[in-house]
Amino acid sequence: MTDLLNSIMGFDIPVWALIAFFSVLVLLVLFILWFVNTRIFKSRLRRIINAKDEEQTAEAIKKFELCYPGKKLIRYSRRMERYSRQMGPQVVRETGLADMWLHKLTTSSLPRSSDLKRVLLYCPGSFLFKAFLAAGKHPRLQKTFNAWMEGVGEDKVIRLLSETCRGEEFEPSYGRQFLENHGELLRELTGESEWYARYFAYRILTLDSELLTERSMEDGLCDPHPLIRKIITESINFEREKTWAVLWDKLIHDPVYEVREAARKRIGNEFMDVYSPKNNRLNDDETARVLELLDPDCQEDRLFAMVSLESVNKVLRFPAAAFMDKCGLLSSILAKNTLDDPATMDNTVTVLQKALDVNVSAFLNEYSTGDGAPLMIASRLLTDTGGTQENICYLQKKAFAYFSNKKAEPSNSEIYIKTLEAVAKNGNVKSFELLAEELSRRENDQVFMKFLLEKIPEGAHAILTPCLFRFLENTSFPLREELVQVLGAFSADIILPKVFNILNGRRSDFPHVVRISALKILGLLRLPFNLQRILESLPTLKPEEMEVFGRLIANCYPQDIFEEKVKALFATPDARIRASLIAILPVTKNNSFTKEIRASLKDVDPDVRVSAIKALLGFGEIRLLNQETSMLHDPVERVRIATAEVISMHGNAAALEILKTVMSDPNETDVVKISVIAGLGQASSAEGISILVSVLDAQSEFRDYAEKALSSRTSKRDITQLIDIFKDAEPPLREKLIPVFKGMGRKAEPQVIEILKDEVASFKPYLVKILEETGYVDEAKRRLSNRNVETRREAALLLSLMDTLPAFRGLVLAAKDPDQEVRVCVVKALEKLKSGHSREVLDKLKEDPDNRIRKYTHWALERLDSLSME
């Protein structure tokens, strides 16, 4: 380069000269760039200053900020200081530099004095208090701030600080210097109308102990602004008794929580030796204010909360319950119960119920199972008074886990039942899902499943339907009828598709018992538009289920629609449907089709004929039935059986004579004869007993059936007739009749006793034998020692009617009964023994092995002799 220049210029140029030349050239370029940039920067600032309206100002600021964003602008701080002296401090404020200076001062861990000076000299007056706070926080800045104060004037600065304070928290120790020379000014500021000025003054005056300041502080305790009352409450230091009185007054009377909180904290730190809320006479408002600031570690507060929880005022009960819940007292009360102490459990329910009444229930979200008592209490609470859905879910988990390896017993089953009631009352989706899981676990547990089905929540239908229909398709499910009733109460929108899926499905997919259940559910839904399908499906039901289902149809479906559907179905060729319809007509009390039923007696299908004869019985057509004895010779056995049962129960004398012929007909099947016997056992006619006795006596192959039929005839008239037969019968027949009376058992005892009270001498031995066979005599003797006098009187009266040795043995023991009527029965019985035919019984009583019997017999006879002499 040097050679090139030398050849061009024609003379030699030293190297140092070239270096100097280029250095100057670079410096010149840099200066020009700096100068131009400075001019542009300054001109943009002037556009902001010289803007004529707000719109121009905003536009100028926007363009300036695009070129000089915050991080870049703060690097021009010194230049901006110079321009602010030339153009005014607004350039610092409007460009946002003032805010950045203040932010740097207040957030930096080591702010510089220059930062403080910039804020004090160029930033708005509203930033002054922030600068004061920074100086109080960093001692290295205090010298700069103090020097600035001296220059401006301390009085003026104090007033400026009070004006720029906005209630910020600050350490008053840095302002202690103001007390020495400006205490009067600070006390004067406590009278300012703006609260923040008073706040600033009081905050510093809390360090002063002069008498004048103390009076100002007393006035400050009633300041309109709560923040001022709070800082004074935190700081006052009067004589001890006076300080306590002030703090207690603030605690129970100040309307602002933060002031009361400050008072309670100081009391907790300094005055616990005199603090005793239960010993102070407080009104409801004062009590409520104490309750909301109780200390969990203070025994006085715990006792006060327990007392307040019993209040009828819920305003007081809520903070007491919330406090007890917070410090675990409610959980502790719940956990200490045991199932063998029901009195304590009842008391616990009463106490915890008061907490639930004011919506405090967190204690029901975490508790131990114990022996089941906490679960019992929680379930009773959530069933009776509410609680949250979260409480219910927690109870479900604990209760279901508790019973996972336990059987339901009277002592604990209430836990399970009440838990289900709580879910039904206020459960949510989560609790319903837990219930579905429990249902699945209990599918084959009959006891728990019964509890579950009885408490299915209405809102859980959609969630539980899949699980319940799975049970329905389980042919071994133990509570099928209960399940049908539950599903029949569900919403039709949920149930109908699944029901028709079963009814329309293949027989191989759904067993007969499942199809029957689906039909019952369809009937329980009570939807008239389903009646046609219900009637067409009646053959699905078993004969014994027809009556209940027919009653359902009669009660739940319009009669006109029912008659229309039945009429149409009678015209169809399907015999099974016609037979089923005929079977339910008597139950529905609809006699519009009596003509069709009579005609059905001659129907070609035997099932229709069977249904018709039973339907005529249901409608009370007894006369017509007695005319249909020809059906006893029907070619189909099951028709003869049905006819035999019906006529034997309700036939007249002529019809019963035909039955006698049937019983003696060697060509008739045994099944028909057994049906005749069974029907006669349910009949009310006297002729039926004669037929049964003849079968019992002469047809040994049917003796057991006849014996069972006769044992079911337990009316007073029937027993009297049997005893008449027994009395006149030959010994072999008597032996055959004795098992009949034994078979009657307790059912016959009331009628036998009624006959015995009639005192028909010829019946008495047989009646007594029947009562002895059934064990009634021994039971009557035991009742002679019953504490109830009426029971003893009845027993003594009956025994006195029997005239037997076992009866008298019991009676003589009652000879000294304290009740006169009992003793009269004994005397009457003994009077009978004085007759000649009973001397043998009397001698046996006198020689009885039991010393008491002998003693009481002699005593009773002496008593009897004395009465006869009188």
Side-chain angles (χ1 to χ4, degrees):
M1 178 65 72
T2 304
D3 294 340
L4 179 60
L5 287 174
N6 288 333
S7 63
I8 294 172
M9 298 294 294
F11 55 87
D12 293 333
I13 300 175
V15 174
W16 62 268
L18 289 173
I19 294 173
F21 172 76
F22 282 111
S23 298
V24 171
L25 183 61
V26 170
L27 290 173
L28 179 62
V29 171
L30 291 174
F31 174 76
I32 294 171
L33 291 173
W34 171 83
F35 182 79
V36 171
N37 184 56
T38 302
R39 295 296 97 187
I40 293 172
F41 182 86
K42 192 171 184 180
S43 68
R44 286 175 174 158
L45 280 177
R46 289 192 182 278
R47 287 177 195 165
I48 296 173
I49 301 301
N50 297 331
K52 296 179 179 180
D53 53 36
E54 292 184 2
E55 185 177 349
Q56 287 186 356
T57 302
E59 185 178 354
I61 292 174
K62 183 177 179 181
K63 290 181 178 179
F64 185 86
E65 289 177 347
L66 286 173
C67 298
Y68 307 101
K71 291 183 179 180
K72 183 177 181 181
L73 182 62
I74 200 168
R75 294 201 298 266
Y76 298 133
S77 293
R78 289 186 179 180
R79 185 188 302 179
M80 289 295 288
E81 285 184 78
R82 187 170 63 254
Y83 291 156
S84 66
R85 288 193 292 269
Q86 297 172 7
M87 304 178 191
Q90 64 266 33
V91 297
V92 175
R93 299 169 187 171
E94 293 183 4
T95 58
L97 185 59
D99 294 325
M100 286 183 276
W101 283 346
L102 181 65
H103 180 74
K104 183 180 178 182
L105 175 67
T106 55
T107 59
S108 176
S109 59
L110 290 172
R112 294 180 298 180
S113 296
S114 59
D115 297 330
L116 178 60
K117 287 179 181 178
R118 285 173 179 152
V119 171
L120 292 173
L121 294 175
Y122 303 109
C123 293
S126 60
F127 288 5
L128 177 59
F129 195 78
K130 300 290 186 182
F132 172 74
L133 293 177
K137 184 178 179 181
H138 302 284
R140 60 199 302 269
L141 301 178
Q142 292 176 6
K143 183 177 180 181
T144 303
F145 191 84
N146 291 340
W148 177 81
M149 284 179 60
E150 291 177 3
V152 176
E154 290 189 354
D155 283 7
K156 181 179 179 180
V157 170
I158 290 173
R159 290 187 180 277
L160 288 172
L161 286 172
S162 68
E163 292 172 3
T164 56
C165 172
R166 288 298 179 271
E168 295 95 333
E169 182 70 26
F170 70 95
E171 177 57 48
S173 57
Y174 178 50
R176 186 188 291 274
Q177 57 183 320
F178 300 156
L179 292 172
E180 297 177 2
N181 301 320
H182 305 285
E184 186 176 348
L185 173 59
L186 290 170
R187 285 189 289 273
E188 180 184 336
L189 289 174
T190 60
E192 287 290 318
S193 60
E194 296 292 351
W195 71 269
Y196 40 80
R198 301 196 304 275
Y199 169 80
F200 174 76
Y202 276 121
R203 197 80 178 92
I204 296 174
L205 285 173
T206 56
L207 302 175
D208 194 15
S209 58
E210 289 190 13
L211 182 60
L212 290 175
T213 300
E214 183 174 326
R215 294 189 61 179
S216 296
M217 299 295 279
E218 289 179 6
D219 293 339
L221 288 169
C222 298
D223 192 276
H225 201 277
L227 190 56
I228 295 172
R229 300 199 301 276
K230 176 188 175 183
I231 62 170
I232 295 176
T233 301
E234 291 174 333
S235 308
I236 55 168
N237 193 20
F238 303 149
E239 175 264 332
R240 179 175 169 80
E241 288 187 6
K242 183 178 179 180
T243 302
W244 159 249
V246 167
L247 294 176
W248 179 250
D249 179 72
K250 283 296 165 191
L251 175 62
I252 64 175
H253 291 141
D254 200 283
V256 178
Y257 178 84
E258 62 178 341
V259 179
R260 300 196 298 271
E261 183 181 32
R264 181 62 182 84
K265 284 181 179 178
R266 282 202 65 186
I267 290 172
N269 292 332
E270 304 172 30
F271 294 96
M272 289 307 295
D273 56 325
V274 294
Y275 173 73
S276 181
K278 70 177 185 297
N279 293 328
N280 287 274
R281 297 177 66 115
L282 304 174
N283 61 34
D284 287 349
D285 291 338
E286 293 168 346
T287 303
R289 287 166 180 160
V290 173
L291 286 171
E292 66 183 356
L293 287 165
L294 298 179
D295 182 0
D297 297 325
C298 175
Q299 187 61 29
E300 286 283 342
D301 283 349
R302 288 171 174 252
L303 294 174
F304 188 63
M306 286 290 292
V307 172
S308 300
L309 188 63
E310 299 293 328
S311 173
V312 296
N313 188 344
K314 291 186 178 182
V315 173
L316 305 183
R317 204 189 302 169
F318 171 73
F323 168 77
M324 293 177 68
D325 191 26
K326 178 182 177 182
C327 61
L329 286 176
L330 297 181
S331 298
S332 175
I333 292 172
L334 180 61
K336 71 180 182 181
N337 289 268
T338 56
L339 289 175
D340 57 2
D341 189 358
T344 301
M345 289 174 61
D346 291 342
N347 183 60
T348 299
V349 169
T350 302
V351 172
L352 298 182
Q353 199 164 1
K354 292 181 180 296
L356 282 189
D357 287 345
V358 290
N359 304 112
V360 174
S361 62
F363 64 92
L364 291 177
N365 285 338
E366 187 64 41
Y367 51 88
S368 60
T369 302
D371 68 345
L375 295 176
M376 178 81 79
I377 293 169
S379 63
R380 288 170 61 181
L381 288 171
L382 292 174
T383 302
D384 296 339
T385 58
T388 67
Q389 294 173 333
E390 184 182 0
N391 301 150
I392 292 173
C393 290
Y394 185 79
L395 171 63
Q396 280 182 273
K397 293 176 183 177
K398 300 290 282 188
F400 293 162
Y402 174 77
F403 283 101
S404 62
N405 56 359
K406 281 185 173 61
K407 294 182 178 179
E409 301 173 357
S411 61
N412 63 17
S413 59
E414 185 184 354
I415 299 172
Y416 201 83
I417 295 170
K418 287 288 187 182
T419 299
L420 298 178
E421 288 178 359
V423 175
K425 178 183 178 182
N426 198 29
N428 60 3
V429 173
K430 177 62 177 175
S431 63
F432 297 158
E433 291 173 350
L434 292 172
L435 186 60
E437 294 174 7
E438 180 69 5
L439 277 164
S440 297
R441 284 194 296 269
R442 301 293 185 181
E443 181 171 356
N444 297 311
D445 190 320
Q446 184 169 346
V447 175
F448 284 100
M449 183 55 68
K450 184 175 181 181
F451 295 151
L452 288 162
L453 292 179
E454 289 175 351
K455 305 297 181 183
I456 294 294
E458 185 174 345
H461 291 178
I463 295 175
L464 300 183
T465 296
C467 177
L468 296 178
F469 266 90
R470 190 175 71 250
F471 297 166
L472 193 74
E473 295 173 19
N474 176 5
T475 55
S476 61
F477 185 73
L479 297 172
R480 178 163 296 278
E481 289 304 315
E482 290 83 349
L483 178 61
V484 166
Q485 294 296 320
V486 169
L487 289 173
F490 276 25
S491 169
D493 295 342
I494 302 173
I495 298 298
L496 271 182
K498 295 183 178 295
V499 167
F500 279 113
N501 182 51
I502 294 174
L503 294 177
N504 296 335
R506 293 181 301 179
R507 298 175 187 271
S508 59
D509 294 336
F510 300 104
H512 186 67
V513 66
V514 177
R515 299 170 69 84
I516 290 176
S517 299
L519 178 59
K520 291 179 179 178
I521 294 170
L522 188 62
L524 289 168
L525 291 176
R526 306 183 181 192
L527 301 172
F529 58 83
N530 285 328
L531 182 57
Q532 179 76 28
R533 181 57 186 273
I534 292 171
L535 296 178
E536 291 173 353
S537 302
L538 284 177
T540 307
L541 297 173
K542 297 177 182 177
E544 60 269 19
E545 296 172 319
M546 286 290 187
E547 181 176 351
V548 175
F549 201 72
R551 194 175 298 115
L552 172 68
I553 292 175
N555 294 334
C556 302
Y557 294 89
Q559 185 173 355
D560 56 341
I561 298 177
F562 174 73
E563 290 180 0
E564 177 187 344
K565 303 294 184 185
V566 171
K567 185 176 181 181
L569 289 172
F570 265 142
T572 65
D574 194 292
R576 294 175 68 244
I577 292 178
R578 286 187 285 114
S580 299
L581 287 173
I582 292 171
I584 69 166
L585 284 174
V587 182
T588 63
K589 307 299 182 184
N590 191 318
N591 55 7
S592 303
F593 299 95
T594 307
K595 181 179 178 181
E596 287 82 351
I597 295 175
R598 290 174 179 173
S600 297
L601 291 173
K602 307 301 181 183
D603 196 277
V604 68
D605 188 86
D607 289 325
V608 175
R609 298 199 297 275
V610 169
S611 294
I613 195 167
K614 290 184 177 179
L616 288 174
L617 173 63
F619 280 119
E621 296 284 347
I622 305 301
R623 184 180 59 82
L624 180 60
L625 289 174
N626 287 323
Q627 296 172 7
E628 295 296 334
T629 54
S630 61
M631 294 183 69
L632 289 168
H633 305 291
D634 193 278
V636 179
E637 183 181 71
R638 64 179 180 275
V639 179
R640 299 199 303 275
I641 291 171
T643 305
E645 287 180 350
V646 169
I647 294 179
S648 59
M649 283 191 288
H650 302 281
N652 57 19
L656 291 179
E657 283 298 320
I658 296 173
L659 290 182
K660 281 186 181 180
T661 304
V662 171
M663 290 302 301
S664 60
D665 185 355
N667 297 319
E668 187 56 82
T669 62
D670 288 351
V671 176
V672 173
K673 292 180 179 180
I674 291 170
S675 297
V676 171
I677 294 171
L680 291 173
Q682 300 175 52
S684 58
S685 63
E687 294 85 354
I689 289 182
S690 301
I691 297 173
L692 290 173
V693 170
S694 65
V695 172
L696 179 72
D697 187 32
Q699 294 179 267
S700 58
E701 67 272 26
F702 299 115
R703 183 177 299 164
D704 291 341
Y705 297 103
E707 182 182 306
K708 183 178 179 182
L710 285 168
S711 296
S712 63
R713 301 286 293 261
T714 54
S715 69
K716 182 177 179 180
R717 189 186 67 179
D718 290 343
I719 293 174
T720 303
Q721 184 179 354
L722 281 170
I723 291 173
D724 269 332
I725 294 171
F726 183 84
K727 181 181 63 169
D728 299 331
E730 295 295 328
L733 179 56
R734 285 186 182 181
E735 291 298 324
K736 295 171 185 175
L737 283 170
I738 287 175
V740 170
F741 293 114
K742 275 186 86 172
M744 291 180 179
R746 291 180 177 270
K747 291 184 292 185
E749 285 175 0
Q751 288 77 18
V752 172
I753 291 168
E754 285 298 315
I755 299 172
L756 181 65
K757 287 180 179 179
D758 294 339
E759 299 205 60
V760 180
S762 61
F763 281 7
K764 182 174 291 188
Y766 310 109
L767 297 174
V768 171
K769 185 172 182 63
I770 292 170
L771 292 174
E772 287 178 343
E773 289 288 342
T774 62
Y776 181 82
V777 174
D778 292 333
E779 183 182 338
K781 286 158 61 176
R782 289 193 295 271
R783 291 206 301 269
L784 286 171
S785 59
N786 192 285
R787 61 189 299 178
N788 189 316
V789 66
E790 293 296 333
T791 303
R792 299 201 307 276
R793 288 174 183 175
E794 178 68 16
L797 175 63
L798 292 173
L799 289 172
S800 70
L801 298 174
M802 294 183 182
D803 294 346
T804 63
L805 179 62
F808 285 126
R809 288 189 83 248
L811 273 173
V812 294
L813 293 176
K816 290 188 176 182
D817 193 278
D819 183 70
Q820 183 179 2
E821 290 189 32
V822 175
R823 297 196 301 272
V824 168
C825 289
V826 175
V827 170
K828 288 181 178 179
L830 290 172
E831 284 178 342
K832 295 175 183 176
L833 290 181
K834 300 292 281 184
S835 61
H837 73 278
S838 299
R839 294 300 302 177
E840 184 179 349
V841 175
L842 182 60
D843 293 338
K844 289 182 179 179
L845 280 174
K846 290 178 180 179
E847 299 174 3
D848 195 274
D850 191 326
N851 181 50
R852 289 187 308 156
I853 298 294
R854 297 196 303 274
K855 177 180 177 183
Y856 277 51
T857 300
H858 285 290
W859 182 89
L861 289 173
E862 289 173 2
R863 174 64 177 162
L864 184 63
D865 291 339
S866 65
L867 287 174
S868 62
M869 291 175 64
E870 294 175 1

